[in-house]
């Protein structure tokens, strides 16, 4: 893992050193394959991708672009920067459309394609996935509101964490348990003022994205896996196993820009177009 040990002058010399037009920093090794796949398919060439070493490091690289015009590119998760006012509008800082790359990878078309591939089928399960996403959103909405309130209140509490497992009614469920989410919400809401909650609700309404794009991508993963297992068992009548690493590998293996949701693909394409014109 690299850390930001270069001076801004040295950063700007990296493209020449690597003999590439673009040196692109991503958060970590798990992000490289996603961004390489997407950038190639959107027409970007002559680049090298390097891991920054974590979220705090990728923020430092972003600041080096904004504050010192470092001649590098950053491709990064959006996280909750729409809500805390830290998002950067710069042609060499590329963001995911949703919270993270995992939100893109778990869109309805890609999950549908993964299910069909596993079943060796040409059937589409896209509408079923979209229906499941809608139901998941209804159960996750209150938790997301607290995530946003927490973001604008110095991130003092863990709201959802990196997995939804603790909010599932069983280890095979693919929807959150309303009783568990309500209890968690009621325990945490006392820590936030009415102003924080009202501001969070206002910010959420302004973003105009479905909740499935705004929940943490890793939070969604366990439910996605359980949903896939549910459909596969229904279709072929037997269980199958898949761990998180295998799930990520399969998602990356079928990732195609045409399978991304339209708004996601259009947003990424617009950013690459801006980068190429800069």
């Amino acid at each position: 893992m690299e850390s930001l040990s270069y001076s801004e002058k040295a950063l700007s010399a990296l493209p020449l050193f690597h003999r590439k037009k673009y040196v692109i920093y991503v958060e970590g090794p798990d992000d490289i394959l996603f961004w390489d796949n997407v950038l190639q398919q959107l027409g970007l060439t002559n680049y090298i991708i390097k891991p920054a070493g974590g979220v705090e490091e990728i923020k430092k690289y972003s600041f080096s672009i904004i504050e010192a015009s470092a001649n590098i590119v950053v491709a990064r998760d959006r996280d909750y920067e729409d809500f805390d006012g830290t998002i950067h509008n710069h042609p060499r800082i590329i963001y995911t459309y949703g919270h993270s790359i995992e939100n893109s990878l778990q869109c309805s078309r890609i999950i549908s394609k993964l299910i069909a591939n596993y079943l060796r089928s040409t059937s589409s399960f896209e509408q079923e996935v979209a229906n499941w996403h809608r139901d998941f959103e209804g159960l996750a909405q209150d938790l997301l509101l607290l995530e946003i309130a927490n973001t604008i209140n110095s991130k003092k509490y863990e709201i959802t964490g990196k997995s939804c497992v603790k909010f599932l009614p069983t280890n095979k469920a693919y929807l959150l348990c309303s009783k568990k989410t309500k209890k968690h919400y009621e325990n945490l809401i006392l820590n936030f003022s009415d102003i924080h909650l009202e501001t969070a609700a206002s910010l959420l309404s302004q973003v105009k994205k479905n909740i499935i794009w705004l929940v943490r991508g890793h939070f969604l993963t366990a439910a996605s896996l359980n949903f896939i297992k549910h459909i596969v068992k229904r279709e072929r009548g037997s269980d199958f196993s898949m761990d998180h690493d295998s799930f990520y590998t399969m998602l990356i293996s079928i990732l195609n820009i045409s399978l991304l949701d339209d708004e996601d693909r259009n947003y990424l394409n617009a950013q690459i177009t801006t980068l190429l014109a800069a």
Side-chain angles (χ1 to χ4, degrees), residues 75-213:
R76 56 172 297 184
D77 290 344
R78 195 173 201 88
D79 298 325
Y80 288 126
E81 294 200 353
D82 283 309
F83 304 111
D84 65 8
T86 59
I87 200 160
H88 302 296
N89 182 18
H90 194 284
R92 283 187 278 112
I93 301 177
I94 301 167
Y95 286 96
T96 54
Y97 176 75
H99 178 275
S100 61
I101 65 170
E102 286 78 15
N103 298 73
S104 293
L105 287 169
Q106 295 176 80
C107 72
S108 56
R109 288 175 186 157
I110 291 180
I111 294 294
S112 173
K113 181 66 173 175
L114 189 155
I115 294 170
N117 285 358
Y118 200 90
L119 293 170
R120 298 177 177 85
S121 169
T122 58
S123 299
S124 172
F125 299 88
E126 186 177 341
Q127 189 57 54
E128 279 194 83
V129 181
N131 291 342
W132 162 61
H133 277 171
R134 184 193 61 229
D135 293 341
F136 190 94
E137 288 178 330
L139 293 163
Q141 185 169 355
D142 286 346
L143 295 179
L144 177 61
L145 184 67
L146 290 185
E147 283 279 22
I148 298 169
N150 193 47
T151 297
I152 61 179
N153 190 34
S154 304
K155 304 176 184 178
K156 296 178 181 178
Y157 308 98
E158 181 176 287
I159 307 300
T160 56
K162 294 183 178 181
S163 174
C164 67
V165 169
K166 66 181 179 182
F167 296 105
L168 299 178
T170 70
N171 60 6
K172 292 185 178 181
Y174 48 86
L175 288 174
L176 306 179
C177 173
S178 59
K179 291 182 179 179
K180 289 183 177 181
T181 56
K182 182 180 179 181
K183 181 179 179 181
H184 191 63
Y185 177 83
E186 290 176 347
N187 286 340
L188 283 171
I189 195 172
L190 300 175
N191 298 301
F192 300 99
S193 68
D194 289 344
I195 293 176
H196 282 131
L197 294 170
E198 290 168 5
T199 302
S202 176
L203 290 170
L204 182 57
S205 68
Q206 292 172 35
V207 170
K208 300 187 185 304
K209 293 178 184 175
N210 290 339
I211 289 171
I212 208 71
W213 289 109

